[in-house]
Amino acid sequence: MLGVPFALVWVVLGLSCILAGKVNKHKPWIETSYHGVITENMDTVLLDPPLVALDKDAPVPYAGEICAFKIHGQEAPFEAVVLNRTSGEGVLRAKGPVDCETQKEYTFIIQAYDCGAEASGASWKKSHKAVVHIQVDDVNEFSPVFREPMYHASAMEGKIYDSILQVEAWDQDCSPQYSQICNYDIVTSNTPFAIDRNGNIRNTERLSYDKKQRYKVMVTAFDCGQKRATESVAVHIDVKPVCKPGWQGWNKQVDYEPGTGSKQLFPKMHLETCDGPLSAVRAMVELQTSHIGKGCDRETYSEKSMQKLCGAASGSTDLLPAPSISTNWTASLLTDSGRDSDLIFNFDGRQAANVPEQVVPQNLTDQFTIATWMKHGPSPGLRAEKETLLCNSDKTEMNRHHYSLYVHNCRLVFLLRRDFTQVDTFRPAEFHWKLEQICDKEWHYYVINVEFPAVTLFVDGVTYEPYLVTDDWPIHPSSIDTQLTVGACWQGGEVSTPRFTQFFRGSLSGLTIRPGRIETQKVISCLQACKEGLDIHSLESLGKDIKFHFNPAQSVLVMEGEDLESVNTAMAKVSYINSRQFPTAGLRQLHITTTVQCFGEDICISIPDIKALVMVLPPSEPRITIAGSDQLVRPAADLRGAMGVAPFKELRITSTVTKGDGVPFSAVYRPGVLEAMHNLDYCDVLVIGEELNPEKESLEIHHSSLMGKHLDATNSTSGISIYGVDSMAHYEEALRQVRYRNWRPATLSNRRFRLTCSELNGRYTSNEFNLEVRDETVLFSTSPPLTHYILSYFHHCLSSMNLSFKHISPPTGTPPAATVVVVICIAALVCIVVLGIYRLHSTHQDSSKSEEDGAKDPEMDWDDSTLTITVNPMEVRGHYTKEFPEKALPTLGLVEWLGVE
């Protein structure tokens, strides 16, 4: 029974499908392609042709109606909506905002669907696929923007340009209409410039560098939709003067701070050639230092110190020393300390000096050296006379010149006439040199090395052989004394009155003579070496095509190159260097001359010379301080000992600069000060008061104490001098080894010394450190006996108590006040006696121990940990008599006298 109904249902359904197929017989129809336009940020698409679907089944319900449009594509942001099912009209619209700048076009597939055979939509049919192409219309939403935040250009004065520079703006809009820049405009008014639609800026009149050197012009832009740029751009136009060949980008003055090493002089300098065809460039840089010291910045130590520093042989005699008690023959000469204590003697044709006989070397031998600094100019008059630097002639009776050094007509002549005892034949006697340096009014260092019969001249370290040598007979032997003279020649015979003749006109410094040895080339170069000069910064990076050459003093640098860029790079590396720790402050001139060669042209570019300045800043001035114990009290046994005592055992030498100053040397920082490390060149220990008595005392330093140091020493009854360029530490060590000995100490009340040290020949000097040496025995013998002090003190104490408590009645039941005071005084007195005895015993033991230590080690003359210096308090207050008032004892400080702290 159930099988019949189910069969009936299937039959009904089958018949329905057959009937439906007969109703919806046709598919919807649409166009094969559509073209649409949508304005960005809008949602409706304008299609051509319009979106309409047709169905031949119309007007059959459902089958002839359009129910939907469907879009097939990769995430197309559109949707199709049916407006009228019967007519098949539809519309295409955007699902959201459409941005042209993101995507300008869209392409996708669309199909139409009918409503099927009945209301349920069954048996619907779809149309063929149609292609839809949509273009997004742009909206002018963006303003033009310039590609650069600022523009720079330059224009030559007097020239009209078609285009000085071009500015460029752009627009983010997507369409040509709104993204293209159609116009530019100059916002700034009253400017001699114009701009075209392509952004080219030109000048409308000839520019003048003298009138205005720089212009600032504001420019704006418009797109083709006439939308203006939000921000205008600044255009800077520099007016360049008419091109003049020459060096550009250099400073007229360069400051040099001492201790900074090599400093570039022209780091940004370049050669402007105005596009000239160059084949080679030659530049010469000259550092002019003739006004500094003796021609340049050199060490200004004394001649002896310089010779010691440069390793010269000892035994030279300084013929022009600084005037002093022992070297007074130069006191009448004109001196010019110049800068930095560099001693210079000026001769004006009227001054000369006789060198004392005890100073003159008696036997020059066949080998000797004469050296001097000299600055000399042309002699006045048509026929110049001889100008004598150094002359050894007969003192009386005759007028024979044994040897002399003089200038005649800008020629340097050395005369050397041997005695018959040395040679008896016609031998070379006069040696002539003709050099530009002799009369150029500049400082030069002259060294004459004599290896008879050969004589060689060195000028600034360069060797010159004589151009003329004349012979003469030897001088006949005689008993006539000779006179050595500086600045002229002594004529003692053949005239009614002995006098100076052949005066020198010029300047001399460091005139020395050394018998028995000639100077080596190395030492000569060291003695005259400049400490300042030109340098090339980072020489290894210099181009291989650059040729350069320095003169020996490094005051002249010549550079040559074919490539202009390489020459510019090389000139930027030219530097100034001053290796002195304390250089001479002041200006140095720089002079640059340049020559240019061109291709195939007779007339080439002319480059003007450059004159610049180097300012060497003043160095920080050191403060040299000598410190230590200013009093030495020793037993007579120590003073009489074989080694004596070392007065400066505790000496300490330091040098400091203020914290705010620049430091041109190695320094160690301490709170408030900077401790400087530098050399000294002499320390003098002078005797204050009477000079030393050689019969009973001496002040000396053993030669072994100077071994391994660049130091030497001389002593006399006036004191001792240690000299030579060396460190402060070495000077400390040497001064600590100075020994004072007195083999009659009983006669010694006190001996005082004054110590001063110097750097750079007195340019910087230390404080005056005074030291007093006293005999301990003499010191104690002048003091009152200890027993007298104690008894007097006790008597005074009792007297004071009687006076204080004579009229005072103590309260009942309490000890009398006088009794309390007596007990206190007695207790204090016992303590003082015990301490005094212990003090005397300790002093005696320390003295014995010191004598034993001195016998074991003569170098250790005292130990500051056990030494007791006892000072009589009566001396401190000006009392030296035994008849002191007893009532003054309490104020004398007995505890102080006993040495109790």
Side-chain angles (χ1 to χ4, degrees), residues 8-24:
L8 182 61
V9 171
W10 282 111
V11 170
V12 173
L13 288 174
L15 290 174
S16 299
C17 289
I18 293 172
L19 292 174
K22 290 181 179 180
V23 175
N24 192 10

Side-chain angles (χ1 to χ4, degrees), residues 520-541:
T520 64
Q521 175 79 51
K522 181 179 179 181
V523 172
I524 293 172
S525 298
C526 175
L527 290 172
Q528 62 87 39
C530 285
K531 295 298 182 180
E532 65 178 336
L534 298 173
D535 190 22
I536 297 179
H537 185 76
S538 185
L539 182 61
E540 63 278 0
S541 63

Side-chain angles (χ1 to χ4, degrees), residues 551-569:
N551 70 333
Q554 283 195 224
S555 59
V556 177
L557 169 63
V558 178
M559 282 190 172
E560 297 182 30
E562 297 179 355
D563 179 62
L564 180 60
E565 191 63 31
S566 297
V567 173
N568 288 336
T569 302

Side-chain angles (χ1 to χ4, degrees), residues 573-584:
K573 295 180 181 294
V574 176
S575 306
Y576 170 82
I577 187 170
N578 194 317
S579 59
R580 291 191 67 192
Q581 195 169 14
F582 304 103
T584 303

Side-chain angles (χ1 to χ4, degrees), residues 417-421 423-427 472-476:
R417 299 190 64 190
R418 315 296 286 180
D419 294 340
F420 258 111
T421 56
V423 292
D424 57 358
T425 58
F426 211 53
R427 301 300 297 274
D472 203 347
W473 289 102
I475 294 178
H476 293 281

Side-chain angles (χ1 to χ4, degrees), residues 46-106:
L46 300 178
L47 285 177
D48 182 23
L51 182 61
V52 176
L54 302 177
D55 196 318
K56 291 182 179 181
D57 293 324
V60 178
Y62 303 112
E65 296 177 354
I66 303 301
C67 276
F69 294 98
K70 290 188 178 181
I71 293 175
H72 306 281
Q74 295 182 352
E75 298 180 0
F78 298 97
E79 62 179 358
V81 179
V82 177
L83 297 179
N84 190 315
R85 296 173 58 176
T86 302
S87 63
E89 295 179 61
V91 65
L92 189 67
R93 60 189 180 194
K95 294 179 180 179
V98 179
D99 189 4
C100 178
E101 287 72 35
T102 304
Q103 189 168 340
K104 296 181 180 181
E105 296 178 346
Y106 294 91

Side-chain angles (χ1 to χ4, degrees), residues 646-857:
F648 304 105
K649 191 69 176 180
E650 293 183 340
L651 185 72
R652 179 80 173 97
I653 304 176
T654 58
S655 181
T656 58
V657 294
T658 56
K659 185 176 178 180
D661 290 346
V663 186
F665 36 75
S666 59
V668 179
Y669 175 75
R670 296 189 306 172
V673 295
L674 289 171
E675 184 173 349
M677 309 302 294
H678 59 80
N679 292 328
L680 300 176
D681 59 350
Y682 70 79
C683 286
D684 289 338
V685 181
L686 300 178
V687 177
I688 303 177
E690 295 183 2
E691 294 188 356
L692 297 174
N693 186 349
E695 296 183 357
K696 65 176 183 178
E697 56 185 340
S698 66
L699 182 69
E700 58 189 5
I701 182 172
H702 197 273
H703 182 70
S704 61
S705 301
L706 305 177
M707 295 294 291
K709 305 178 180 68
H710 296 288
L711 299 178
D712 208 341
T714 59
N715 64 340
S716 66
T717 57
S718 299
I720 187 169
S721 178
I722 302 174
Y723 61 90
V725 182
D726 213 332
S727 64
M728 290 185 290
H730 279 179
Y731 267 93
E732 274 186 8
E733 294 175 10
L735 287 168
R736 289 172 180 174
Q737 300 303 319
V738 172
R739 316 294 295 194
Y740 172 71
R741 185 181 176 217
N742 191 315
W743 42 95
R744 295 181 187 175
T747 61
L748 176 67
S749 59
N750 63 74
R751 170 59 76 186
R752 291 182 296 164
F753 300 100
R754 177 172 296 156
L755 170 62
T756 57
C757 293
S758 155
E759 164 66 333
L760 293 173
N761 203 20
R763 179 179 174 185
Y764 305 115
T765 56
S766 70
N767 61 308
E768 293 183 348
F769 176 74
N770 296 317
L771 174 69
E772 184 178 13
V773 178
R774 311 184 76 179
D775 179 11
E776 187 180 77
T777 307
V778 176
L779 178 64
F780 275 113
S781 65
T782 59
S783 302
L786 178 62
T787 306
H788 183 74
Y789 271 114
I790 296 174
L791 293 177
S792 299
Y793 180 81
F794 184 67
H795 174 74
H796 182 78
C797 186
L798 293 177
S799 300
S800 299
M801 286 187 296
N802 289 334
L803 292 173
S804 302
F805 301 104
K806 186 174 182 180
H807 303 289
I808 298 177
S809 298
T812 306
T814 61
T819 305
V820 175
V821 174
V822 168
V823 172
I824 294 174
C825 284
I826 292 175
L829 181 61
V830 171
C831 292
I832 292 173
V833 170
V834 172
L835 288 173
I837 295 173
Y838 173 76
R839 188 67 173 173
L840 291 176
H841 178 69
S842 298
T843 302
H844 177 71
Q845 284 189 334
D846 293 343
S847 177
S848 301
K849 183 178 180 181
S850 177
E851 292 179 4
E852 291 176 1
D853 293 342
K856 292 178 182 179
D857 186 1

Side-chain angles (χ1 to χ4, degrees), residues 134-153:
I134 298 177
Q135 179 180 345
V136 181
D137 274 358
D138 188 22
V139 174
N140 194 5
E141 57 185 330
F142 292 101
S143 300
V145 177
F146 286 92
R147 294 192 180 276
E148 300 291 338
M150 186 181 298
Y151 290 87
H152 292 271

